[in-house]
Amino acid sequence: DLDEVKALHAHHASMPERIDYLEKLLGDSADTHAQEMLALKDAHAKVAAAHGKQEEALESLRSKQAHYATLVERLDYLEQSLGGSIETHSSEVRALKDAHARQHDAF
């Protein structure tokens, strides 16, 4: 039995070896996690910077858009301009027809 115990003991790691293994495993894990956290923080900073640039661009677009007339305002202006122009032309045509009729009656 003693030979069996010695054989089993030879296959098992000693306590210091086991502790070294666990410390190395945990240390590697901590290093990996620290690197991943740094990469995540870097990615987050890049996303935040991109978001800030997009927000600035959006605000610039909004301020520029405020200076332009809306489609409804532009259509209203055109309708008013054309409406006034049509009324003016209609009255001029009517006046010409009346003058033409007067001249026709005079002959």
Side-chain angles (χ1 to χ4, degrees), residues 70-90:
T70 66
L71 183 60
V72 173
E73 291 170 339
R74 292 167 65 191
L75 284 174
D76 286 344
Y77 171 77
L78 289 173
E79 287 174 347
Q80 287 174 357
S81 296
L82 291 175
S85 179
I86 289 171
E87 291 171 5
T88 302
H89 289 291
S90 294

Side-chain angles (χ1 to χ4, degrees), residues 1 7 15-17 20 43 47 53 63 69 76 82 86 90 92 99 106:
D1 286 327
M15 186 62 77
E17 291 172 335
D20 287 343
V47 168
K53 288 180 183 177
S63 69
D76 286 344
L82 291 175
I86 289 171
S90 294
E92 289 175 358

Side-chain angles (χ1 to χ4, degrees), residues 2-107:
L2 185 59
D3 290 334
E4 286 180 21
V5 171
K6 286 182 181 180
L8 287 174
H9 182 50
H11 291 300
H12 287 297
S14 68
M15 186 62 77
E17 291 172 335
R18 292 168 70 186
I19 290 174
D20 287 343
Y21 170 76
L22 289 174
E23 286 176 343
K24 182 183 180 314
L25 182 67
L26 290 175
D28 289 347
S29 178
D31 291 342
T32 301
H33 286 286
Q35 290 173 352
E36 289 175 359
M37 285 298 293
L38 287 175
L40 184 60
K41 286 180 181 179
D42 185 45
H44 184 267
K46 288 179 182 176
V47 168
H51 184 280
K53 288 180 183 177
Q54 289 175 350
E55 191 67 32
E56 289 173 8
L58 181 61
E59 286 303 315
S60 173
L61 181 62
R62 284 181 180 150
S63 69
K64 287 178 183 177
Q65 184 181 17
H67 290 86
Y68 292 103
T70 66
L71 183 60
V72 173
E73 291 170 339
R74 292 167 65 191
L75 284 174
D76 286 344
Y77 171 77
L78 289 173
E79 287 174 347
Q80 287 174 357
S81 296
L82 291 175
S85 179
I86 289 171
E87 291 171 5
T88 302
H89 289 291
S90 294
S91 64
E92 289 175 358
V93 168
R94 202 172 315 115
L96 285 173
K97 285 183 179 181
D98 291 343
H100 185 264
R102 282 192 304 268
Q103 284 184 350
H104 186 270
D105 290 343
F107 283 116

